[in-house]
Amino acid sequence: MSSFRDLIAYKKSFALAMEIFWLTKTFPKEETYSLIDQIRRSSRSVFACIAEAYKKRKYPNHFANKLTDSDMENGETQAWLDVSLACKYITREKYDELNKQSEEVGYLLIYMINNPDKFK
């Protein structure tokens, strides 16, 4: 693997963040500085932390630390998806789809955290 961009977790989390970006363009304007900014920030942090972790892969503890940050941001994104559903900004179907994608990213992150030697 020559780049963090080759990681499946990076690709999936980047795609999820972009989907959230486009989706939130339909949210009400009054949510601009609360829900929209928060869910965009947390979803973008997921793939950004993966990139940072990959650059620290020679050091297993640093690698795992940045990946746990990524997992934390992924969890925050799921919480904002909960709010989006509760406020009826997204349908149950869209929520289930995005939440499933986020769960897949989470599984990949846990695998990476538990197997740092496979990414050196």
Side-chain angles (χ1 to χ4, degrees):
M1 213 165 282
S2 61
S3 170
F4 60 85
R5 291 180 186 93
D6 296 328
L7 296 168
I8 295 169
Y10 180 87
K11 290 175 183 179
K12 286 183 177 274
S13 59
F14 186 88
L16 177 60
M18 292 309 300
E19 189 166 350
I20 287 171
F21 170 76
W22 290 111
L23 179 66
T24 56
K25 286 186 165 284
T26 67
F27 286 16
K29 291 292 180 206
E30 65 263 20
E31 293 288 5
T32 298
Y33 300 108
S34 53
L35 177 58
I36 295 170
D37 284 351
Q38 291 294 329
I39 195 168
R40 286 180 182 176
R41 184 201 51 75
S42 66
S43 65
R44 290 171 178 171
S45 290
V46 177
F47 68 81
C49 287
I50 292 170
E52 290 179 40
Y54 187 77
K55 295 297 184 176
K56 292 278 193 175
R57 66 192 184 279
K58 290 182 190 177
Y59 310 101
N61 290 340
H62 291 287
F63 181 71
N65 187 0
K66 291 311 294 182
L67 291 173
T68 57
D69 288 349
S70 182
D71 194 36
M72 173 188 67
E73 295 292 347
N74 194 44
E76 183 179 342
T77 299
Q78 291 173 341
W80 293 122
L81 288 172
D82 292 347
V83 172
S84 300
L85 177 64
C87 292
K88 299 185 186 333
Y89 299 149
I90 59 175
T91 65
R92 168 57 74 175
E93 293 78 22
K94 180 53 78 172
Y95 171 86
D96 290 343
E97 173 192 328
L98 296 174
N99 195 60
K100 182 180 179 199
Q101 290 175 41
S102 182
E103 288 291 331
E104 289 174 5
V105 169
Y107 296 140
L108 292 166
L109 290 170
I110 296 304
Y111 177 82
M112 292 173 73
I113 290 166
N114 291 333
N115 297 281
D117 291 339
K118 294 188 180 205
F119 299 92
K120 284 188 177 180

